[in-house]
Amino acid sequence: MQFDVKDPVVKGRKSENPERLSWGVIEFQVTDLDRTIAFWTRALGLALRFQDEQRAELGTQEKTLFVFHSGATQTVKPHHTGMYHVAIGMPDQAEFSRLLARLITLRIPVAPTDHLLSKSLYIVDPEGLEIELTFETPERLGRFGDLSRGLNLIDAAGNDHSGRAPLDVEAELAFAQGANIEAPLSNTAYLAHMHFKVPDIETSTQWYEGIGFTRGLCVESWGFADMSANETYTHRLAMNIWAGVNRPPAPKDMARLTQYTLHVHEPSIFENEHGLTPSDVGLTGVDPTGTDILLMPAFSS
C-alpha cells in the first residue's frame, strides 16, 4: 500500500488554497490538575485562563488551547490507541528558539529534532502526555524520496535527509539572543497538528478522509501515515501503529486525550454527517482511537 503524495515537489510555499479544517480546543484528563497547570505554564509559558476544582483552561493570553479535567487515577501507559502527541505551532523562528532556550534554562528534558518540513522540540509532561513545539519550514523540502524503504526526504538543495535528524542546538539558540525567555507564549501560537496511535492505518485514514482530511503519504514499512487539510501537502494529522495493531483504547481512568474539536471551514463537509451525530454546536462522535470528537462550523452560512 502506498498513498499518493499530492504535491511531491514542494516549491517553497504553503498552500494557495484555504485549509478545510483547523484544530480547536484539545481536552485531557489528568491525575493531578495542579501539577499539570504548574508544568504547562512553567515549561511553555501558557496562560491559566480559568480554574476550578475539576478543570483548568490554558492557552495564550487571547485564546484557550487546552482544557484539563481531573479524574484520572493512573498516568499514561503506552500500549493503547489515543494521542501520540499534540503539536503547538510557533509563528516564527524567534519564538521557536526562545522556547528552546526556556526549556534548556529550566532543565526540562527536550529532544530537538529536524524533520526538514519542520523543526520540532519534544517534551513529556509529568502525566506522560507528549508535547511537540513545531516551527513549520516547508520551503526546506525539495521532494519526497524513495519511501519504500522508510522515510526519505530530499531537501531543496538536493541532499538526502532522514526527516529525524537532531537539530543544531547552538545554531537554533542564536535566534534567541536577547529574547525574554520568561515571556508568555506568543498570542500567535496555534495548534498545528495531532499525532495519533491508531488500531490500523488504512481504515483510520479512510475515516479521517471522510471528515475532510486529505491523504498525504504513507511509509508502510514504518507503520506511519500523514494527512493534510487541503490538496497541498501540509502536516495536520499523523498516525502510527507503533504500539501494535488493533490495540485497545486507553482505559477511562488513565491520563489521556478525551476530546478534541475541529473547526470546519468548508460547508460541504457538513453535507454528509460521516456517521457522526448532529448536535446544537456541530457533529459529535468517536474517532478510530476511541476519542470523542466535535466538528464545529467555522464559516458564514
Side-chain angles (χ1 to χ4, degrees), residues 20-22 262-267 269-270 295-299:
R20 293 188 292 271
L21 302 160
S22 61
L262 282 165
H263 296 300
V264 178
H265 303 283
E266 187 174 291
I269 290 177
F270 280 92
L295 293 183
M296 180 179 293
F299 50 82

Side-chain angles (χ1 to χ4, degrees), residues 52-219:
D52 61 21
E53 292 183 356
Q54 299 298 319
R55 66 194 296 267
E57 298 179 6
L58 276 68
T60 69
Q61 300 291 326
E62 296 182 352
K63 64 182 177 181
T64 295
L65 299 176
F66 304 103
V67 176
F68 295 91
H69 302 269
S70 60
T73 60
Q74 58 176 318
T75 56
V76 173
K77 304 296 185 296
H79 299 298
H80 302 278
T81 59
M83 188 185 80
Y84 187 64
H85 63 246
V86 58
I88 306 172
M90 300 293 105
D92 51 41
Q93 175 72 63
E95 182 70 353
F96 178 82
S97 294
R98 188 183 71 84
L99 266 291
L100 174 58
R102 181 187 183 111
L103 294 169
I104 291 172
T105 300
L106 294 172
R107 298 182 182 276
I108 293 172
V110 56
T113 306
D114 189 353
H115 295 306
L116 191 60
L117 274 161
S118 65
K119 301 177 180 182
S120 296
L121 309 174
Y122 292 97
I123 63 174
V124 180
D125 87 344
E127 300 283 329
L129 300 169
E130 186 169 326
I131 308 156
E132 176 185 355
L133 305 178
T134 184
F135 173 48
E136 297 179 339
T137 57
E139 70 280 358
R140 296 196 299 145
L141 174 68
R143 61 184 174 86
F144 295 100
D146 180 5
L147 302 176
S148 65
R149 292 179 290 180
L151 186 61
N152 177 235
L153 308 177
I154 311 298
D155 70 17
N159 302 308
D160 285 340
H161 197 285
S162 70
R164 303 184 302 283
L167 278 174
D168 182 338
V169 170
E170 184 175 350
E172 296 301 317
L173 290 176
F175 294 100
Q177 290 185 4
N180 177 10
I181 63 172
E182 296 181 357
L185 183 67
S186 170
N187 283 323
T188 51
Y190 60 99
L191 291 168
H193 68 262
M194 294 289 290
H195 190 153
F196 294 120
K197 297 179 290 184
V198 296
D200 173 80
I201 293 290
E202 175 61 19
T203 56
S204 299
T205 303
Q206 290 177 8
W207 192 90
Y208 286 109
E209 191 174 35
I211 64 170
F213 285 100
T214 301
R215 292 178 183 238
L217 74 157
C218 174
V219 186

